[in-house]
Amino acid sequence: MPEYETHEYDVLVIGAGGAGLRAAVEASSMGARTAVITKSLLGKAHTVMAEGGMAAAMGNVWPQDNWQVHFRDTMRGGKMLNNWRMAQIHAQEAPDRVYELEEWGALFDRTPDGRILQRDFGGHRYARLAHVGDRTGLEMIRILQQRGVHQGLDVFAECTINRLFKDSQGRIAGAIGYRRETGELLLFKAKAVVLATGGAGRIWEITSNSWEGTADGHALALYAGADMIDMECIQFHPTGMVWPLSVKGLLVTEGVRGDGGTLKNIDGKRFMFDYIPAMFAAETADNEPEADRWYNDKTVRRTPDLLPRDEVARAINSEVKAGRGTEHGGVFLDIASRRSPEYIRSRLPSMYHQFMQLAGVDITKEAFEVGPTMHYIMGGVRVEAEKQGTAVPGLYAAGEVSGGMHGGNRLGGNSLSDLVVFGRRAGMGAAEYALGLTSAPALDQADVDERAALMMKPLEGDGRENPYAIHTALRTLMQNKVGIIRTESELQEALVEIASLKERLTRVKAGGDTKYNPGWHLALDLEHMITVAEVVTRAAIERKESRGGHTRDDYPNPSPEFGKVNIVDRLGPNGVEVRQEPLPQMPPELAELFADGGDDAHG
Amino acid sequence: MPTANLKVWRGDDSGDYQNYQVEYGHGEVVLDVIHKLQATQAGDLAVRWNCKAGKCGSCSAEINGHPRLQCMTRMEIFEEGEEIVIAPLKTYKLIRDLVTDVSVNFEKAKTIPFVDLEKPAPGDVRRMAQMDIDRVQEFHKCIECFICMDVCHVIRDHPDNMDKFVGPRYFVQLAMVAMHPLDQHPKREMVAYGFGLEYCNITKCCTEVCPEGIHITDNAIIPLKERRVDELYDPLRMIGRALFGKK
Ligand SMILES: Cc1cc2nc3c(=O)[nH]c(=O)nc-3n(C[C@H](O)[C@H](O)[C@H](O)COP(=O)(O)OP(=O)(O)OC[C@H]3O[C@@H](n4cnc5c(N)ncnc54)[C@H](O)[C@@H]3O)c2cc1C
Ligand code: SF4
Ligand code: SF4
Ligand code: FES
């Protein structure tokens, strides 16, 4: 019987982004023996890249703001697919979590009277994002990291979890992974697991996500028997860099538009006025003077440049298709002609440097090219709203890997707040569950050994498939056939190609040995990515309408029927199973907030 | 497409440089070229990266002898055909190729105190003027690339100093806590512990290389040193210490 480096914990948190760190801090403060595992070094998770800010209805800039307005914006932004209870908890608790970060040392930008400043972002009625210049995620991660270190968390950096295990009663019992540095296998016995593994961007070719976004958590949950929800809903952020090729996909924060930037086509036209959807017509300015006044006067209608992301991404896509795009297939984003260089540099310092250093463009002097980039996956592990528990006893999920909170489309700034609101709750739920168990669920040694052997296969087999080549094929396929605009025939073709990639993966061969070998790591991640790509594609076939981050060329409009259901998926004995389930119904006092449709946007 | 002439460190301490030729296009950075190399010629080449935008501090390496972020080093700064030497950071123990063991930093992080803020006035939130936090926000920009640690002669040339001297990155963190406008610790006392400040002779090499432009020496180290001096020679405090038995 092989020996593994083995550790025992009450709560195992997989992921050290905002969600994972906050969960771990909570679980450990409740007395649960807690470990955090991360594929990168501590402090490098994707959260570090978040720029614009963290949404919380503190009302520091606009006293009219409150949780009800935030809740309403979130639900409408999500095209009403959201789990209403999660959206409610999020809106109610986000301000406390911002103040908690401040208590722990975060230094948010200030209002003139010394309170936390808030900035405008797409889909938020009032300036609502607490921020630190344009590096809010760095602030969040550093503060949580220091908090965790001082609380004595055990951290397993550069370790990757490959599978979860259950006991004979179907409860979470542990997980297996490997140390990236040495390739040694690592076995965890754990009573509860919190998945906080972030997103899935690396399944697409053009993405703002880092190498870590390989959908591991989604896959781990699927293999463990949990449900997925809304997996067809993918956010293509409207403004990624498009040139030079080397930085294609890299994010340009929505803060550029929040702070006054506007989108223009090749003719210099502010085209967003042509793309105001009926749902937002009553609250969106249809002329330039009103749109420009809105930044300082919230009694007029908001600029269409800050419509929710799905709307803006589709508009850019249409402009480019109609031949009004730039040389490199994007549109222009112009803040240079609208704000002073000093203002731009002080509000958007890292954007200024990003363009200066990587593209040789001075954003205080000229407009720059942008286009859509895969940014965020709304879909994820289905959790209950209060403590983030899943269908598998002992399994919890928080942050981007979980689903439901953002429905069909996430508003900017609602992720950072989601991470800490639900990270905390998941940590609490997992700790309560683990501390309540009288004995630790037992691992099945045969499961462990079988998995361990499979993990070594890409190094040992005599296959000939290069993992990098399979990855490139998957990304191209998903970009072209399961991208921003979808259609039945292409989705069906995608399924066939995914099946063939799955087959190629059985013959994958990574050169080299186990020591810090990225080729081997990728070969293992590919299994996760391909599984999740299939789930996304099947869910996209099922939703025969266009809504939020799911646009169908063959069903271009929202359908009232599909507006009443979530698409839920899981792995059954014969592969992916897809079903429709009615949306949870909100209580009358919340439903009332939507009684007047979109028609109450003034004031 | 131009071809880059790379000389990349392969293996551990007993490894060596290997030569590679990789084509590159307009706007590419060193990390792109390394990735191409990985995908086509050296599948197991070990390199760290995350954001590819200078935000996470993962991809530090010594490029032609200068520590830099690979993702922010454009190929255009090199002459066509010039030999480009890419080596791991020297201050840290090598694991393999471009990856070093930086775990010692996380031990250092544990020694830096955590903030402990004054409570807000009853019924109010904490108030701070932007002017008062501008200075401290600078320290929050640190992306933990450890490039400053790589050039600091105190540890680069004398590995034994590693456990006596927290190093420039952690002086920045110390300053971040010590200068928080609402931190209620007697700050001078806090910095009077042995973080190894005395080893620093203000050469400013760390400041010169910081990709975030943090004025490590002028804004963090020198003020900390000044506080320390005040602390040691402050007669009232010395009496206080004797009376209350504080160290
Ligand atoms: C460029 C950019 C800017 C953004 N700006 C904003 C913004 O301004 N406001 C906002 O609200 N949102 C923003 N977002 C979105 C937001 O940053 C992310 O959704 C969020 O940070 C995800 O956090 P997380 O904690 O869920 O996961 P992540 O931060 O992605 O962390 C995932 C963690 O899981 C670990 N992990 C993954 N798989 C495994 C495995 N198999 N084994 C072990 N560990 C694993 C990783 O190593 C990592 O530690 C932005 C995103 C990007 C890319
Ligand atoms: S100034 Fe001090 S800390 Fe910075 S490099 Fe010189 S000796 Fe090291
Ligand atoms: S202080 Fe500057 S050089 Fe040092 S780790 Fe931080 S960002 Fe890097
Ligand atoms: S990859 Fe993040 S700094 Fe280079």
Side-chain angles (χ1 to χ4, degrees), chain B residues 31 49-59 69-71 143:
Chain B
L31 188 62
W49 71 283
N50 280 61
C51 67
K52 207 168 165 291
K55 295 194 167 98
C56 72
S58 301
C59 65
L69 299 174
Q70 295 173 67
C71 70
I143 55 173

Side-chain angles (χ1 to χ4, degrees), chain B residues 152-154 165 168 200-206 217 221:
Chain B
C152 177
H153 66 97
V154 178
F165 172 79
C200 163
N201 51 356
I202 320 193
T203 57
K204 299 202 184 184
C205 310
C206 51
T217 335
I221 294 180

